Amino acid sequence: MSDETLVVGLVSISDRASGGVYQDQGIPALEEWLRSALTTPLRFETRLIPDERAQIESTLVELVDNARCHLVLTTGGTGPARRDVTPEATLSIATKEMPGFGEQMRQVSLAFVPTAILSRQVAVIRETADHAALVINLPGQPKAIKETLEGLKDADGKQLVGGVFAAVPYCIDLIGGPYAETNDAVCKAFRPKSAIRKKDNA
C-alpha cells in the first residue's frame, strides 16, 4: 500500500561535492545502507547542496512540508569549521529537539576516534498541522555513517554499542508515520512489546 511507503529524504551538504569538485559519497552510502537495513517499501528524495545555512533550512522544510518525508538524514557540515552550519540550520526548522541521537552517535564514534567529540550532530522533529518528520544529522564519511546507524558488533555479530537507527522506526510510529520494519541481521529495530505489530501469516 502506498500509504505504508516510508519516504526518506537524503541531503548531502558539501560545497565541493555540490560544486562538482568531487563525487558525492554520502547519498549513495545512505541509500545502500537503508536498502539493506529496511524491509519496508522505501522511496528516496535526494538533494545535494552547499554549506549554506539558508539553503539547508529551505531544503529541510521542503522535504518535510512538501515532499512529505517521514525521515530526513543529512550528511556533512557538522564539525567546528566556520562553514559547518548543518546543526544550526537543523535546529532552526525544528519543533522538538531529540538530543539522545547526537549523544549516542558521538558515543559510537568515540570507540574509533577521539575527534568524535568535535562532532555537533543533532536530531529534531519538525511538525506541521498534519505531518511530522524525524531529521537526523549524520557524519560525512560513509564508514562513519554506517557505524553510527548500525552500532558496533563483535566478531560473532553481538551488539557492543547500539547504533541510533534501532530507535528510528518507533520514533516514526510515535509521530504518525508508517510502520517501518528492519532486517534484524543489519539493525534490529526496538519497540515496546505493546507497539509491535503482529505479522500476517496469511
Side-chain angles (χ1 to χ4, degrees):
M1 283 166 53
S2 60
D3 63 348
E4 287 296 300
T5 298
L6 184 69
V7 185
V8 182
L10 303 177
V11 186
S12 187
I13 299 159
S14 166
D15 287 335
R16 288 178 293 172
S18 64
V21 176
Y22 62 73
Q23 190 77 22
D24 172 61
Q25 295 183 308
I27 289 172
L30 279 168
E31 283 196 7
E32 182 183 4
W33 190 86
L34 288 164
R35 288 190 193 284
S36 72
L38 285 160
T39 58
T40 299
L42 276 174
R43 179 165 64 79
F44 294 115
E45 292 280 343
T46 61
R47 306 286 187 273
L48 177 57
I49 60 174
D51 288 278
E52 297 289 351
R53 179 167 169 172
Q55 192 167 349
I56 299 167
E57 289 174 10
S58 63
T59 298
L60 295 178
V61 168
E62 182 257 325
L63 285 170
V64 177
D65 298 11
N66 300 336
R68 310 281 287 181
C69 292
H70 306 104
L71 172 67
V72 179
L73 302 175
T74 74
T75 172
T78 59
R82 284 178 187 260
R83 295 287 292 170
D84 290 334
V85 293
T86 302
E88 286 74 23
T90 304
L91 290 168
S92 74
I93 61 92
T95 51
K96 289 188 176 83
E97 190 175 356
M98 303 292 288
F101 282 96
E103 291 163 8
Q104 186 62 14
M105 283 190 277
R106 283 180 281 277
Q107 193 64 37
V108 172
S109 297
L110 275 167
F112 296 97
V113 289
T115 49
I117 58 175
L118 302 179
S119 171
R120 301 184 304 111
Q121 288 115 310
V122 300
V124 304
I125 305 291
R126 176 173 172 82
E127 298 156 305
T128 64
D130 65 344
H131 185 68
L134 172 63
V135 182
I136 307 174
N137 300 157
L138 294 172
Q141 297 302 316
K143 179 174 180 289
I145 289 170
K146 182 177 188 292
E147 288 161 359
T148 53
L149 290 171
E150 204 169 302
L152 310 180
K153 296 173 182 168
D154 66 14
D156 299 322
K158 183 172 179 290
Q159 198 86 31
L160 300 174
V161 181
V164 297
F165 201 81
V168 168
Y170 185 50
C171 183
I172 292 171
D173 294 352
L174 293 172
I175 61 173
Y179 188 89
E181 298 194 72
T182 56
N183 173 0
D184 290 357
V186 177
C187 177
K188 183 174 173 61
F190 178 83
R191 287 180 170 94
K193 283 184 181 170
S194 60
I196 297 172
R197 193 183 284 181
K198 296 226 176 351
K199 287 187 169 70
D200 284 333
N201 295 321

